[in-house]
Amino acid sequence: MTPKEYVKRFYESDFANDTTVIDNYLHKDCLLHWSSSKGFSVLKFNDIKDLFLDISRTYESFRVEISHLLADENFVTTRYTVHVRTIEDPDEEQPMAHFITIWELKDNKLYRGYEISQQADVSLESLKSFLKIKV
């Protein structure tokens, strides 16, 4: 499997609800450097696992929609939107945030991530720019 296929499979998995996905896809020495609206943080393997445990408790569903997926050797860049259904309103899916992440793979696992996120802009023009292209 190519690095691009590997990253695509990770994002198409149910990683927010199935912690075995994290164990299978992330390198044990994984670091995610994340710039968000809350500031900069570095998450280690267990921090990432805990983050997704919190997400699975907070949201009824969590879905990633990839708009761009680019690869250069062991580096894969993905641009995507996270859509959620809240526990309070499980019938309505809403875009939560937009992300761009660059992953470095090592030993066929996600090793180093460099991520930028922002709250989803729900304007039609913004959402159109995140529509899936050939990935």
Side-chain angles (χ1 to χ4, degrees):
M1 178 178 345
T2 68
K4 183 176 179 179
E5 292 168 334
Y6 188 84
V7 170
K8 185 175 186 221
R9 282 191 186 178
F10 170 70
Y11 282 103
E12 290 176 344
S13 71
D14 191 18
F15 60 86
N17 294 306
D18 181 357
T19 56
T20 63
V21 172
I22 299 297
D23 293 327
N24 293 331
Y25 279 84
L26 267 64
H27 194 284
K28 293 295 180 195
D29 296 323
C30 178
L31 291 177
L32 177 62
H33 304 83
W34 183 16
S35 296
S36 73
S37 58
K38 294 181 180 179
F40 178 77
S41 56
V42 178
L43 304 177
K44 296 179 181 177
F45 178 89
N46 286 328
D47 301 325
I48 296 168
K49 200 169 185 174
D50 290 344
L51 173 68
F52 288 116
L53 284 172
D54 286 343
I55 287 171
S56 71
R57 287 189 287 258
T58 305
Y59 296 101
E60 184 74 20
S61 71
F62 179 96
R63 180 179 66 85
V64 171
E65 186 172 29
I66 299 171
S67 65
H68 295 76
L69 190 62
L70 307 167
D72 183 13
E73 297 181 12
N74 282 341
F75 292 89
V76 179
T77 301
T78 182
R79 180 177 182 251
Y80 59 96
T81 300
V82 168
H83 301 269
V84 297
R85 292 181 191 272
T86 64
I87 292 169
E88 297 82 12
D89 190 5
D91 295 330
E92 184 178 346
E93 185 178 70
Q94 304 170 30
M96 180 180 73
H98 301 303
F99 294 81
I100 295 178
T101 308
I102 302 168
W103 280 108
E104 176 186 0
L105 279 74
K106 179 180 176 183
D107 303 328
N108 296 317
K109 300 238 180 185
L110 302 174
Y111 178 63
R112 292 287 182 265
Y114 305 90
E115 183 166 82
I116 296 174
S117 66
Q118 68 180 42
Q119 184 175 355
D121 177 347
V122 295
S123 70
L124 185 58
E125 186 175 5
S126 173
L127 292 177
K128 278 184 172 181
S129 79
F130 280 88
L131 291 176
K132 186 175 184 176
I133 62 166
K134 184 179 177 184
V135 292

